[in-house]
Amino acid sequence: MAKTIFVLNGPNLNLLGSREPGIYGRETLIQIAARTEACAKAHGLGLEFRQSNSEAQLIEWVHEAGENADGLIMNAGAYTHTSIALLDALRAVALPVIEVHLSNIFAREDFRHRSYVAPAAQGVISGFGGQSYELAIEAMARLLGSKGKAKKKKK
Ligand code: DQA
């Protein structure tokens, strides 16, 4: 059976396309989802691509991924910089996690340099626009393939 990756998107990412295009580009989240889906398919991976503005919903989806997915790609939006609850959720599930951002958070305001997702992630891909998601799929495919098994060890 194909391995399944959850791609979870946080607040305001539903507004991509019109939201600060100088920073995030003109691509909509629906277009990014389609590209990411095609990339996952090419790697033989199933994809569940979701967005919510609610921190609680994102946490519920992380828990669901822990039950039903083999890997998790997360763009937590601004919750990246604030949410210890999200960090705890990511740590609670035995899944490889890759953090993604469209913009390069390290080249922006100081408050964006801190990520509460990163300590639970295998790695961070930041600054490649919508392509960040495809790069994350690529990295996840290698991670799952090279480990030869779906789940990472519990810490
Ligand atoms: C973002 C970067 C965050 O700092 C910001 O709050 C976002 C989008 C990105 O993808 O570049 O909402 O996660």
Side-chain angles (χ1 to χ4, degrees):
M1 224 177 81
K3 289 174 181 168
T4 298
I5 309 304
F6 271 36
V7 180
L8 301 182
N9 293 280
N12 302 308
L13 293 167
N14 55 314
L15 299 180
L16 287 178
S18 61
R19 174 192 180 199
E20 299 188 89
I23 296 173
Y24 300 115
R26 289 263 173 219
E27 219 177 355
T28 65
L29 193 63
I30 289 171
Q31 290 168 327
I32 292 172
R35 280 217 277 157
T36 309
E37 185 105 39
C39 184
K41 202 172 167 195
H43 283 92
L45 295 169
L47 198 75
E48 190 63 40
F49 194 101
R50 299 180 188 175
Q51 187 275 333
S52 176
N53 294 320
S54 152
E55 187 179 16
Q57 179 65 83
L58 291 164
I59 290 167
E60 297 291 349
W61 285 343
V62 170
H63 296 173
E64 186 187 331
E67 295 295 315
N68 300 330
D70 298 286
L72 178 54
I73 294 170
M74 180 116 217
N75 183 351
Y79 293 142
T80 304
H81 317 298
T82 62
S83 181
I84 297 167
L86 210 44
L87 169 61
D88 286 348
L90 293 168
R91 281 194 164 145
V93 296
L95 281 179
V97 175
I98 297 176
E99 175 180 350
V100 298
H101 299 282
L102 295 118
S103 63
N104 178 356
I105 57 172
F106 303 104
R108 299 182 64 193
E109 302 97 321
D110 285 354
F111 62 82
R112 294 185 204 275
H113 297 179
R114 167 153 215 180
S115 168
Y116 285 103
V117 174
Q122 301 274 338
V124 182
I125 298 171
S126 183
F128 298 95
Q131 226 189 333
S132 291
Y133 289 78
E134 288 164 285
L135 294 169
I137 292 285
E138 182 92 40
M140 185 63 81
R142 288 181 190 213
L143 216 52
L144 295 176
S146 67
K147 290 197 160 185
K149 60 183 179 188
K151 304 246 175 182
K152 80 177 175 190
K153 273 199 230 139
K154 263 199 195 285
K155 279 188 194 142

